[in-house]
Amino acid sequence: MVAAGAALADEVGIAGLTMGLLAERVGVRTPSLYKHVGGQEDLNRRIAALALSEAADAVGGAVQGYAGRDALVAAARAFRAFVLEHPGRYAATIGLEPSGPDDPLATASERLLDAFTAVLRGYDIAESDVNHALRMLRSLCHGFATLQAAGGFQWSTDIDESFEWLIAFTDRGLRAL
């Protein structure tokens, strides 16, 4: 049920996803969904956990065997590709707080952070600055990918070229620390 909801969220956006629409999509009556999820909020949280887990798999797999700039390139491209392919489910992740350490959101978030932390190991970053660097990477990758997914780059300059420019700029900044 969660996978079907995530796929539908990618089509209609997380804000457009309703229990009724999901029930229609999977061919059941809306009350039948409550056997699988506790309601709209529970569905959205489960979609968010799925999205974070999938993003962690994509980024973690992409950086395997790479270090430094190569790891940065692989991680940034994998994250962007995930967001562009799954804009609705990724949007479900924004603003949710885990309810505790055993919450699937916490576990999946930690895995995604671990993948980006692995990227940072290829740079000479003080341990006290790692959280700042992680926030910077998240802001850059998230911002670019969500703007692109929302059609926010309307001018004629090649988007892929701009993204490669962002990666190069980030690499130079991380090496300068």
Side-chain angles (χ1 to χ4, degrees), residues 17-130:
L17 177 64
T18 65
M19 297 289 281
L21 191 57
L22 178 57
E24 182 179 314
R25 172 61 59 92
V26 298
V28 300
R29 295 182 47 169
T30 303
S32 298
L33 293 179
Y34 290 92
K35 294 177 186 174
H36 305 281
V37 295
Q40 187 71 52
E41 183 178 335
D42 181 43
L43 175 63
N44 289 357
R45 288 183 70 78
R46 289 177 187 226
I47 290 170
L50 174 67
L52 287 170
S53 183
E54 291 172 339
D57 290 345
V59 174
V63 302
Q64 289 293 320
Y66 293 108
R69 186 182 196 288
D70 293 336
L72 174 64
V73 168
R77 287 178 181 167
F79 185 82
R80 177 184 174 217
F82 178 80
V83 174
L84 293 177
E85 187 175 332
H86 304 292
R89 71 183 73 187
Y90 179 71
T93 69
I94 308 306
L96 288 183
E97 291 290 326
S99 60
D102 295 333
D103 186 332
L105 280 174
T107 306
S109 293
E110 191 64 35
R111 288 182 50 236
L112 185 55
L113 280 176
D114 288 347
F116 277 106
T117 301
V119 170
L120 295 177
R121 285 190 201 104
Y123 294 92
D124 189 23
I125 299 173
E127 188 63 35
S128 61
D129 290 334
V130 169

